[in-house]
Amino acid sequence: MAASDPTVKTTRAVDETGERSSRILQTRDLHKEFGGLTATDTVDFAVEEGELRCLIGPNGAGKSTFLNLITGQLEPTAGSIYYDGIDITPLPSHERVDRGISMKFQVPTLYEDLTARQNLRIPLQRIVDADEFETRTRELLAQFDLLAEIDETPAALSHGQQQRLEIAMAMALEPTLMLLDEPVAGLSVEETAEVAELLRTIQAEEGVAFIVIEHDIDFVETIADRVTVLDQGSIFTEGTIEKVKTDPAVRRIYLGEER
Ligand SMILES: Nc1ncnc2c1ncn2[C@@H]1O[C@H](COP(=O)(O)OP(=O)(O)OP(=O)(O)O)[C@@H](O)[C@H]1O
């Protein structure tokens, strides 16, 4: 796991009580405007260490914008982001990666001309010495059931294998928080079940926390500890999948039922 800064332990707590908190991520009044459009509307949001949180909401609700603010891809108009007890709002993306925040984007980011081994080398170079590279590559590929594909380029992989390789690349950075934007979009039922199993295993065995944007409510039901519903840039509601799924107001805004 990426080491947290030992000097921040005394300021780790970011909750109102001043108590040491198990929250790994906290946003305070996080706000993003594009011109006159509010994409993230003064959001207070928290994720616990090792929690698997799903973020759902209608198209344009602000889900991707919110994740991009956490990674540093976007700069907020106002508000703060605390990670592992420190205010990371001013930090550039690569420093957030070094602190343990890793992202798998919705759009494919695999290098088409590189093999699975060579693709993995890119994130691994930030973490391990060259003499450990082959061992760690094989470990990761085995964990993601891709060892037989080590010398294949992405074109030779199924869509499900490509998605797993991208998640492996995000995991290579040894995150404590992994952000996934629609990790099962376009996958078959079997491939979706494999990804669900994989995320649950990573969470259980490595204690990684997740924020997963997802439209597939069955997948959300399989993996989520808790669900946050975004609507028009604000948190509409949060809770267990059972609570969220049966909430008539959520069904109206998210599942498109008649008002
Ligand atoms: N770079 C940008 N410039 C201007 N407006 C943007 C930009 N990025 C997002 N928006 C707008 O912000 C709002 C939120 O968009 P966002 O992509 O975050 O929503 P989303 O919930 O992820 O949607 P989807 O489920 O369709 O991916 C939308 O109205 C979108 O048009």
Side-chain angles (χ1 to χ4, degrees):
M1 296 293 123
S4 57
D5 183 345
T7 62
V8 306
K9 289 303 178 194
T10 52
T11 56
R12 177 185 175 77
V14 289
D15 60 7
E16 308 74 24
T17 65
E19 294 293 318
R20 182 183 166 92
S21 167
S22 62
R23 289 171 188 172
I24 194 161
L25 178 81
Q26 169 98 57
T27 71
R28 288 274 185 228
D29 296 328
L30 194 62
H31 196 80
K32 179 66 181 174
E33 295 191 4
F34 294 109
L37 185 134
T38 301
T40 303
D41 194 354
T42 52
V43 169
D44 288 341
F45 172 88
V47 170
E48 305 288 324
E49 286 175 1
E51 177 187 353
L52 202 159
R53 178 74 62 90
C54 282
L55 206 54
I56 68 172
N59 290 334
K63 304 180 294 295
S64 297
T65 300
F66 187 68
L67 287 203
N68 288 331
L69 289 169
I70 295 170
T71 61
Q73 241 72 34
L74 287 173
E75 198 179 325
T77 310
S80 305
I81 305 166
Y82 296 89
Y83 189 72
D84 208 13
I86 66 152
D87 184 355
I88 61 165
T89 323
L91 299 185
S93 291
H94 68 272
E95 286 188 32
R96 299 184 195 199
V97 170
D98 291 342
R99 288 187 175 273
I101 301 177
S102 186
M103 170 109 178
K104 182 211 153 313
F105 294 93
Q106 190 178 1
V107 291
T109 52
L110 298 176
Y111 292 89
E112 290 299 323
D113 297 337
L114 302 184
T115 63
R117 176 195 275 110
Q118 291 165 334
N119 267 287
L120 262 180
R121 177 171 209 143
I122 295 164
L124 276 176
Q125 279 171 340
R126 293 179 71 93
I127 298 289
V128 300
D129 294 332
D131 59 346
E132 296 171 61
F133 170 66
E134 185 65 17
T135 307
R136 188 71 188 118
T137 298
R138 288 180 173 276
E139 279 172 6
L140 274 165
L141 288 175
Q143 182 182 11
F144 287 80
D145 196 19
L146 289 167
L147 201 47
E149 285 73 30
I150 190 165
D151 291 318
E152 302 289 354
T153 57
L157 305 181
S158 70
H159 189 39
Q161 288 172 327
Q162 290 177 15
Q163 292 284 52
R164 292 209 302 278
L165 180 55
E166 292 215 39
I167 299 172
M169 288 172 72
M171 272 304 290
L173 294 165
E174 302 186 355
T176 39
L177 174 67
M178 176 104 95
L179 311 177
L180 304 175
D181 196 344
E182 299 199 34
V184 297
L187 298 192
S188 69
V189 173
E190 293 75 25
E191 289 170 332
T192 298
E194 282 169 13
V195 172
E197 176 71 27
L198 199 53
L199 300 190
R200 276 303 203 183
T201 304
I202 295 168
Q203 182 199 23
E205 293 181 357
E206 309 196 29
V208 176
F210 289 87
I211 305 174
V212 182
I213 294 180
E214 194 47 64
H215 285 285
D216 179 341
I217 209 75
D218 293 331
F219 179 68
V220 170
E221 190 156 12
T222 314
I223 62 166
D225 294 318
R226 282 192 293 165
V227 176
T228 298
V229 184
L230 278 187
D231 187 36
Q232 298 181 33
S234 299
I235 294 181
F236 187 75
T237 189
E238 283 182 326
T240 62
I241 183 68
E242 290 76 23
K243 177 191 162 202
V244 164
K245 241 178 90 171
T246 53
D247 182 334
V250 172
R251 298 183 72 85
R252 273 200 301 277
I253 64 134
Y254 180 62
L255 301 173
E257 294 186 357
E258 292 297 311
R259 283 174 200 262

